Amino acid sequence: QVQLVQSGAEVKKPGASVKVSCEASGYTITSFFIHWVRQAPGQGLEWVGILNPKSGVTSHAQKFQGRVTMTRDTSTSTVYMDLSSLTSEDTAVYYCARGTPALDYWGQGTLVTVSS
Amino acid sequence: EIGLTQSPATLSLSPGERATLSCRASQSVSIYLDWYQQKPGQAPRLLIYDASNRATGIPARFSGSGSGTDFTLTISSLEPEDFAVYYCQQRTDWSFGPGTKVDIK
């Protein structure tokens, strides 16, 4: 069965970077895009970006310009999202999701807390 | 960037009642609009894709309609497990609506 398993919770200081991983199983990772979506505490869903695991090509929401990097390791069926220059406003649960093209399978979420 | 608005923000209904949720886009997204359900502490779940197609395993009481800029998610008869937050997402630039909370009256 399709599964997306994300890395564990992180606590970071303002100005630091965080790297969240998402390991796919149950399908060929290069067959479908991977999205990253975040949700701040008590807030709605916010689209972060998209990665084509086959080509490595990415696209992201304008507000993350210059701060987000999405990469993949096809040998381990794992994708990564790196977010830099963290502020308290980046405190959120970060989800990866498979796009077919709707987001049909989601990871369990990774809580990233930014606090001094 | 395409903006999505959802109405109402909160819908208070009783089990067995019909729920009608609206999603409006700031410009046409054709049929490329999806609906998700999210319960507290859980990841979102895909309900409807391409405006009107139920995702795998989604009960028939959920239906979607619309195209262009106006879309509707209908739950024909609310079950206890349907009380949740519902989000729409468009697939032109992937933004989400702010959500509609369906709670128990």
Side-chain angles (χ1 to χ4, degrees):
Chain A
Q1 71 282 22
V2 174
Q3 279 193 299
L4 298 173
V5 178
Q6 299 183 222
S7 49
E10 302 263 12
V11 179
K12 296 292 182 180
K13 294 195 182 301
S17 297
V18 68
K19 192 168 189 173
V20 180
S21 68
C22 170
E23 181 178 0
S25 61
Y27 76 101
T28 302
I29 193 170
T30 51
S31 297
F32 302 104
F33 287 23
I34 291 288
H35 294 253
W36 290 92
V37 175
R38 76 178 186 180
Q39 187 169 38
Q43 303 301 309
L45 302 173
E46 181 176 31
W47 184 75
V48 176
I50 183 173
L51 165 72
N52 180 339
K54 186 172 185 177
S55 65
V57 173
T58 64
S59 179
H60 53 267
Q62 183 65 29
K63 71 177 290 183
F64 300 104
Q65 181 70 29
R67 290 208 300 137
V68 68
T69 304
M70 291 168 284
T71 57
R72 88 291 193 209
D73 181 345
T74 56
S75 69
T76 60
S77 296
T78 302
V79 297
Y80 302 91
M81 184 207 63
D82 198 315
L83 189 63
S84 63
S85 302
L86 293 169
T87 73
S88 58
E89 295 188 351
D90 295 312
T91 293
V93 175
Y94 288 76
Y95 295 101
C96 61
R98 187 180 81 162
T100 62
L103 280 55
D104 64 349
Y105 283 92
W106 293 65
Q108 82 275 21
T110 297
L111 175 61
V112 174
T113 302
V114 183
S115 174
S116 55
Chain B
E1 184 175 309
I2 297 176
L4 294 177
T5 56
Q6 291 187 243
S7 60
T10 303
L11 194 53
S12 297
L13 295 168
S14 300
E17 289 193 295
R18 182 183 188 90
T20 303
L21 288 66
S22 174
C23 177
R24 178 165 290 177
S26 60
Q27 64 189 77
S28 177
V29 296
S30 185
I31 62 165
Y32 304 120
L33 188 287
D34 308 314
W35 290 93
Y36 298 87
Q37 176 194 66
Q38 188 179 34
K39 297 178 181 178
Q42 296 185 15
R45 176 174 74 145
L46 176 65
L47 296 176
I48 301 288
Y49 66 94
D50 291 349
S52 63
N53 296 287
R54 274 190 303 277
T56 303
I58 301 303
R61 64 181 181 272
F62 291 93
S63 64
S65 64
S67 65
T69 60
D70 290 309
F71 301 86
T72 300
L73 173 70
T74 301
I75 310 171
S76 59
S77 178
L78 283 163
E79 296 288 339
E81 61 268 28
D82 299 337
F83 293 93
V85 180
Y86 293 82
Y87 295 95
C88 56
Q89 182 190 29
Q90 51 81 16
R91 300 208 309 265
T92 300
D93 62 17
W94 303 101
S95 62
F96 287 92
T100 290
K101 183 178 183 180
V102 178
D103 65 14
I104 299 176
K105 187 174 182 181

